[in-house]
Coordinates of all heavy atoms in Angstrom, one line a residue:
K147 N -5.6 -5.9 -8.8 CA -6.8 -5.3 -9.4 C -8.0 -6.0 -8.9 O -9.1 -5.4 -8.4 CB -6.7 -5.4 -10.9 CG -7.9 -4.6 -11.5 CD -7.8 -4.6 -13.0 CE -8.3 -6.0 -13.5 NZ -8.4 -6.0 -15.0
N148 N -8.0 -7.4 -8.8 CA -9.1 -8.2 -8.5 C -9.3 -8.6 -7.0 O -10.4 -8.9 -6.6 CB -9.2 -9.4 -9.3 CG -9.3 -9.2 -10.8 OD1 -10.0 -8.2 -11.2 ND2 -8.7 -9.9 -11.6
K149 N -8.2 -8.6 -6.2 CA -8.3 -8.9 -4.8 C -7.9 -7.8 -3.9 O -8.7 -7.5 -2.9 CB -7.4 -10.1 -4.6 CG -7.9 -11.4 -5.1 CD -7.1 -12.6 -4.8 CE -7.5 -13.9 -5.5 NZ -6.9 -15.0 -5.1
K150 N -6.8 -7.2 -4.1 CA -6.3 -6.2 -3.3 C -7.2 -4.9 -3.2 O -7.6 -4.5 -2.2 CB -4.9 -5.8 -3.5 CG -3.9 -7.0 -3.4 CD -3.8 -7.4 -2.0 CE -2.8 -8.6 -1.8 NZ -2.5 -9.0 -0.5
I151 N -7.4 -4.4 -4.4 CA -8.2 -3.1 -4.5 C -9.6 -3.2 -3.9 O -10.0 -2.3 -3.1 CB -8.2 -2.5 -5.9 CG1 -6.8 -2.1 -6.2 CG2 -9.2 -1.4 -6.1 CD1 -6.5 -1.7 -7.8
P152 N -10.4 -4.3 -4.2 CA -11.7 -4.4 -3.6 C -11.6 -4.5 -2.1 O -12.4 -4.0 -1.4 CB -12.3 -5.6 -4.2 CG -11.6 -5.8 -5.5 CD -10.1 -5.2 -5.3
A153 N -10.6 -5.3 -1.7 CA -10.5 -5.4 -0.1 C -10.1 -4.0 0.5 O -10.7 -3.6 1.5 CB -9.4 -6.4 0.3
F154 N -9.2 -3.2 -0.2 CA -8.9 -1.9 0.4 C -10.0 -1.0 0.4 O -10.3 -0.3 1.4 CB -7.7 -1.3 -0.5 CG -6.4 -2.1 -0.4 CD1 -5.4 -1.8 -1.3 CD2 -6.1 -3.0 0.6 CE1 -4.2 -2.4 -1.3 CE2 -4.9 -3.7 0.7 CZ -3.9 -3.3 -0.3
R155 N -10.8 -1.1 -0.7 CA -11.9 -0.1 -0.8 C -13.0 -0.5 0.3 O -13.5 0.3 1.0 CB -12.6 -0.3 -2.1 CG -13.9 0.5 -2.3 CD -14.6 0.4 -3.7 NE -14.4 1.1 -4.7 CZ -14.3 2.5 -4.8 NH1 -14.5 3.2 -3.7 NH2 -14.1 3.2 -5.8
K156 N -13.3 -1.8 0.4 CA -14.3 -2.2 1.4 C -13.8 -1.8 2.8 O -14.7 -1.4 3.7 CB -14.5 -3.7 1.4 CG -15.7 -4.3 2.2 CD -15.8 -5.7 2.0 CE -16.9 -6.3 2.8 NZ -17.1 -7.7 2.6
W157 N -12.6 -2.0 3.2 CA -12.1 -1.6 4.5 C -12.1 -0.1 4.6 O -12.5 0.4 5.8 CB -10.5 -2.2 4.6 CG -9.9 -1.8 5.8 CD1 -10.0 -2.4 7.0 CD2 -9.0 -0.7 6.0 NE1 -9.3 -1.8 7.9 CE2 -8.6 -0.7 7.3 CE3 -8.4 0.3 5.1 CZ2 -7.7 0.3 7.8 CZ3 -7.6 1.3 5.7 CH2 -7.2 1.2 6.9
A158 N -11.8 0.6 3.6 CA -11.7 2.1 3.7 C -13.1 2.6 4.0 O -13.4 3.6 4.7 CB -11.2 2.7 2.5
E159 N -14.1 2.0 3.3 CA -15.5 2.4 3.5 C -16.0 2.3 4.9 O -17.0 2.9 5.3 CB -16.5 1.7 2.5 CG -16.2 2.2 1.1 CD -16.9 1.4 0.1 OE1 -17.5 0.3 0.4 OE2 -17.0 1.8 -1.1
K160 N -15.3 1.4 5.7 CA -15.7 1.2 7.1 C -15.1 2.2 8.1 O -15.5 2.2 9.3 CB -15.4 -0.2 7.5 CG -16.1 -1.3 6.8 CD -15.6 -2.7 7.2 CE -16.4 -3.8 6.5 NZ -15.9 -5.0 6.9
Q161 N -14.2 3.0 7.6 CA -13.6 3.9 8.5 C -14.3 5.2 8.7 O -14.4 6.1 7.9 CB -12.1 4.2 7.8 CG -11.2 3.0 7.5 CD -11.1 2.1 8.6 OE1 -10.7 2.4 9.8 NE2 -11.5 0.8 8.4
E162 N -15.0 5.2 9.8 CA -15.9 6.3 10.1 C -15.2 7.7 10.2 O -15.8 8.7 9.8 CB -16.6 6.1 11.5 CG -17.6 4.9 11.4 CD -18.2 4.6 12.7 OE1 -18.1 5.5 13.6 OE2 -18.9 3.5 12.8
T163 N -14.0 7.7 10.7 CA -13.3 9.1 10.8 C -13.0 9.7 9.5 O -13.1 11.0 9.2 CB -12.0 9.0 11.5 OG1 -11.1 8.0 10.9 CG2 -12.2 8.6 13.0
W164 N -12.8 8.8 8.4 CA -12.6 9.4 7.0 C -13.8 9.8 6.5 O -13.9 10.8 5.7 CB -12.0 8.3 6.1 CG -10.6 7.9 6.6 CD1 -9.8 8.4 7.4 CD2 -9.9 6.7 6.1 NE1 -8.7 7.8 7.6 CE2 -8.7 6.6 6.8 CE3 -10.2 5.7 5.2 CZ2 -7.8 5.7 6.6 CZ3 -9.4 4.8 5.0 CH2 -8.2 4.7 5.7
E165 N -15.1 9.2 6.7 CA -16.3 9.5 6.2 C -16.6 11.0 6.7 O -17.2 11.7 6.0 CB -17.4 8.5 6.8 CG -18.6 8.6 6.1 CD -19.6 7.5 6.5 OE1 -19.3 6.4 6.2 OE2 -20.5 7.7 7.3

Side-chain angles (χ1 to χ4, degrees):
K147 185 176 85 173
N148 295 325
K149 291 185 179 180
K150 300 292 185 178
I151 292 174
F154 295 164
R155 180 187 262 312
K156 186 174 179 181
W157 177 81
E159 289 171 348
K160 294 178 182 178
Q161 307 308 306
E162 292 179 11
T163 55
W164 297 344
E165 191 175 291

